[in-house]
Amino acid sequence: MRRRSTDQPALFPTEDLIIPETLRSFRKAVSAIHAVPVKAEHNQSLNNRRLFDACILVALIDCRKRDGLIKRICEERVSPIFETRVTDLARLAGIPGKNYVRIYEELDRLYEMDLRWNIVGEDSKVEWEMRAHFLSSLGYGKGHRRGLIRFSIDPSILAILLEPSNWATLSLQRMHGFSTGPAYALYQNAWRYVNTHAKVTAALPTATWIELLIGHSRYVVDDPVHGKRVVNYGDFKRRVLVDALNRVNETSALGYTLELKELRSGTRVSKLQFKFVPKKQESLGLPVTWPDEVLRVLASLGFTSSEVEDLSQAHSFEVVAETLVRLKAAEGRLKAQSRTITNKKAYFTGILANVATGEAEDDLNVTKIEAEAKAQEAARLAAARNERRKEEFAKHQAQVFSARFFELPELERAPLLSDFESSSAGKRAGILVAKGWTPQNAGALACLRAWLADERPATLEQFYAHPEDRSFDAWLAWRLDRAESQEPA
DNA sequence: AAGCTGTCATATTATGAGTG
DNA sequence: CACTCATAATATGACAGCTT
C-alpha cells in the first residue's frame, strides 16, 4: 500500500483530523493470554509483572514503527532484537525510584522464567496451552553503552503478543497505582472482558483465578488424581482476593467496579466470575480519564458532550483511540485519491463499529465503510423520523381520548373519575387533578389514561373506537391513506 | 471436625533519598 | 546511571477463639 510520508506537507489547506501525539504513547498492551509461571520460585512479583508488560510495550512500539515487521514476524518467524534504555523501561513499567539494579534483577528473573501460556479466545475457551520462556535473549550494555538493554522474544510468543485479538489494549495511565501484585493481576485479567456485551469476565475455575493472581501458592494443590484442587479458599479470599478487589475498585481512574460472583457446585466455590458495575458518574458525565485532547478531537468531529458520554460508556478509551487512529489513516488514503470524507462523524461511527468487533485493519475497506456510514446516517434519520411519528401517534391517541371522554354522559364519567381519584395513581396525580377536569388539563388526562391502561384496559379500549386509535401501524396506514385521498397524485 | 476470622510476629518487597 | 542505606508497605505463618 502506498502511503504519503508523514513529513510531506499537505498540498491543500485542510481541516485534517489532528490526532494527539499522546494517543499512541498512551496505548498499552496487556496480557489477555494468561501466563502462569510453571515453577513456584518464579512467581511474579508486582515489579516483575510490570516489567513483563513494559517489555511487551517496547516490542509493540518498535514493531509499529517498522512497517511490515509484524507480518514478517508472523509469517517468517523473524525475531527482532529490541533495544531500550533502562530508564525508559522503568518509566513504561511504572516502577518508581531510580534503583535500576532492581530492574536488572527482575529482568534476569524474567529471562529465567518458565511460563505456561493459556491463550484464551474470544469465546473464553482456552485455545492453546503451551510452555515457553518469555525472553529468548537478554543483554545489558556496558561501558559507553551502559543503561542500554537489549532483549528478544521467541517469535512464536511474540506473534501471540502482537496479535490484537489476544491482547487487550489498556490505558497506560490506569496501570499505575496498583501497589500489589494480585491487584494488578486482577485488573489485568479482568479488564480484558470489559468490552464484552454481558459485562462479565469468563467464569474461570477458582484454581485458575488463584494462579492468575498469585501464581503457585498453598491455596492450590496439584492432585495427581483429581487435577488442581483449591484448599483454603476462604483464606485466599480474605488475604488476597478481597484486598485486590478493593484496590481495583478504589482506583478512581476506572469507570467500573468489579463485583465478585462465586459460582458454587454443591457447597464448594468452584468458579469465580467478576461483573463490571458501572460507577455512578457524578454531575459531569464526561469521561474524566480520557485526555482532554481526545475530547477536543471528538468535539471537532461533531460529537456533543452527551454523545461523548454515551460513547465512553459503550466503548473503552482504547477502542475509541484506535478508531481515531484508523480514521486518520483512512482520511490520508482518501486524500491520496483526491477524495474527502463527507461526514467524518458518521465515518468515525462506522469504523468504531468495526474496531469494537475486532476487525483487522486490512478488512477496513474504504468504500464499504463509506457505504456503512451512509447507511448508518440513513438509519439514524429513519429512527428520528420514526420517533417523530411515535410522538404524533401519542398525540393522536391523547386527542381521541380527550374528545371521547368529554363526550361521555356525566353518569358514566363521574364514577370513573371518582374511582381514579381514590386510587393510588389518582392520589399521586392530585395536583394535576386539582386543576379540574377540562380538555385543557392534558396532564391529568394523561394520568387517567395510564391508570385506565393498567386497571381497566377494557374500558380504555372503548375510547379507542377505530383501529388507528389503537395501534401504531394501523395509525400509520390510516394517515398515509388520508394523505393520499387529500392530495391525489 | 472443619472452616472462618482476628491478631501478632516476622520475613520479604517496594520505595524514597542521597552520593559519586 | 550505578550504587548504598533506611524505611514503609506487604505477605505469610501460626495460633486462638468462634461458627456451622
Side-chain angles (χ1 to χ4, degrees):
Chain A
M1 189 190 313
R2 180 177 285 261
R3 283 206 184 139
R4 271 194 322 159
S5 94
T6 45
D7 48 11
Q8 180 187 335
L11 292 175
F12 310 100
T14 60
E15 38 165 11
D16 265 357
L17 177 65
I18 310 291
I19 295 191
E21 202 43 53
T22 48
L23 250 188
R24 279 195 190 80
S25 53
F26 264 127
R27 307 195 61 231
K28 173 82 175 91
V30 159
S31 173
I33 46 187
H34 305 145
V36 181
V38 173
K39 298 195 184 78
E41 64 263 32
H42 290 150
N43 271 356
Q44 285 175 286
S45 63
L46 176 62
N47 282 347
N48 190 278
R49 290 178 200 268
R50 285 168 165 172
L51 273 173
F52 184 88
D53 285 340
C55 287
I56 293 168
L57 191 52
V58 168
L60 271 175
I61 290 171
D62 203 44
C63 289
R64 271 167 198 267
K65 269 195 299 206
R66 299 198 240 165
D67 252 7
L69 182 58
I70 295 182
K71 202 167 172 230
R72 287 183 60 213
I73 290 166
C74 296
E75 287 173 2
E76 298 165 37
R77 304 273 148 189
V78 295
S79 181
I81 290 187
F82 303 106
E83 190 174 288
T84 178
R85 312 209 126 259
V86 65
T87 40
D88 291 338
L89 197 62
R91 191 178 46 79
L92 283 172
I95 296 175
K98 41 184 180 161
N99 186 339
Y100 299 119
V101 178
R102 298 161 189 161
I103 308 278
Y104 295 131
E105 280 168 5
E106 265 334 317
L107 279 173
D108 283 339
R109 197 174 307 172
L110 213 50
Y111 171 75
E112 281 162 18
M113 241 164 43
D114 182 8
L115 295 161
R116 203 182 67 232
W117 303 77
N118 279 332
I119 297 154
V120 182
E122 287 303 314
D123 55 358
S124 76
K125 295 241 171 59
V126 174
E127 290 178 356
W128 282 96
E129 197 178 302
M130 52 192 287
R131 265 181 77 170
H133 285 263
F134 175 53
L135 298 176
S136 58
S137 75
L138 176 65
Y140 303 130
K142 294 289 169 194
H144 73 284
R145 289 182 179 274
R146 69 175 197 172
L148 283 176
I149 293 171
R150 277 182 173 177
F151 64 91
S152 61
I153 299 175
D154 183 87
S156 63
I157 293 298
L158 191 56
I160 295 167
L161 304 186
L162 297 176
E163 171 59 52
S165 68
N166 284 334
W167 286 75
T169 47
L170 288 168
S171 164
L172 188 58
Q173 56 181 341
R174 292 177 195 170
M175 300 302 293
H176 310 316
F178 295 119
S179 50
T180 70
Y184 186 91
L186 174 66
Y187 164 72
Q188 220 187 28
N189 287 298
W191 236 260
R192 69 168 297 253
Y193 299 98
V194 75
N195 279 323
T196 57
H197 183 62
K199 291 274 182 273
V200 287
T201 68
L204 300 170
T206 313
T208 307
W209 276 113
I210 294 178
E211 288 190 339
L212 288 175
L213 262 53
I214 50 177
H216 281 266
S217 68
R218 65 201 165 94
Y219 304 116
V220 177
V221 291
D222 207 348
D223 193 324
V225 188
H226 302 99
K228 296 215 160 64
R229 204 158 50 82
V230 178
V231 291
N232 273 335
Y233 168 70
D235 236 23
F236 166 76
K237 185 177 173 185
R238 155 176 90 136
R239 292 225 128 115
V240 182
L241 187 56
V242 171
D243 178 68
L245 213 50
N246 287 339
R247 282 168 194 280
V248 170
N249 288 345
E250 278 164 15
T251 306
S252 57
L254 299 172
Y256 294 89
T257 55
L258 288 176
E259 191 184 287
L260 173 66
K261 297 207 150 198
E262 295 170 320
L263 308 178
R264 289 163 196 276
S265 58
T267 56
R268 283 191 89 81
V269 174
S270 62
K271 287 179 171 179
L272 298 181
Q273 192 174 35
F274 297 91
K275 185 170 186 237
F276 292 94
V277 181
K279 278 186 191 163
K280 284 199 197 83
Q281 298 272 10
E282 277 125 33
S283 60
L284 74 152
L286 278 181
V288 283
T289 54
W290 292 15
D292 283 347
E293 304 160 273
V294 173
L295 295 179
R296 272 201 296 277
V297 171
L298 288 173
S300 77
L301 287 177
F303 282 93
T304 66
S305 304
S306 76
E307 281 173 331
V308 173
E309 197 180 322
D310 289 349
L311 208 59
S312 74
Q313 271 155 33
H315 300 280
S316 70
F317 169 70
E318 292 66 34
V319 168
V320 171
E322 174 73 25
T323 305
L324 281 176
V325 171
R326 291 199 193 175
L327 175 62
K328 175 75 179 165
E331 197 181 39
R333 281 199 298 274
L334 282 177
K335 190 153 286 158
Q337 307 164 19
S338 27
R339 293 163 60 197
T340 52
I341 297 177
T342 44
N343 183 344
K344 280 188 197 168
K345 188 177 166 186
Y347 211 95
F348 175 88
T349 318
I351 297 178
L352 180 66
N354 282 310
V355 173
T357 54
E359 301 239 357
E361 188 145 16
D362 296 345
D363 301 338
L364 288 177
N365 170 317
V366 171
T367 41
K368 197 175 104 195
I369 289 203
E370 184 91 58
E372 264 175 34
K374 285 205 174 111
Q376 281 209 355
E377 182 68 7
R380 198 185 60 78
L381 287 174
R385 212 159 42 226
N386 204 25
E387 197 57 35
R388 277 202 303 279
R389 295 288 168 272
K390 283 249 162 76
E391 278 169 25
E392 284 173 31
F393 174 62
K395 217 161 126 193
H396 168 78
Q397 272 194 322
Q399 279 170 356
V400 168
F401 177 77
S402 170
R404 301 272 155 73
F405 180 68
F406 288 104
E407 283 168 11
L408 273 187
E410 182 62 27
L411 267 178
E412 285 181 45
R413 197 165 54 206
L416 210 55
L417 279 178
S418 70
D419 279 0
F420 170 64
E421 281 169 28
S422 58
S423 73
S424 60
K427 287 191 180 111
R428 258 179 278 128
I431 303 170
L432 288 166
V433 173
K435 289 184 190 164
W437 290 104
T438 64
Q440 283 73 43
N441 192 348
L445 285 169
C447 293
L448 173 63
R449 210 147 47 89
W451 174 75
L452 279 173
D454 281 348
E455 306 288 329
R456 312 262 176 94
T459 315
L460 187 62
E461 281 284 286
Q462 290 171 9
F463 286 97
Y464 299 141
H466 307 295
E468 69 264 24
D469 305 337
R470 286 185 214 139
S471 97
F472 178 61
D473 291 336
W475 175 80
L476 273 181
W478 170 77
R479 191 173 159 281
L480 198 68
D481 211 34
R482 207 181 47 159
E484 275 173 6
S485 62
Q486 272 175 4
E487 355 170 346

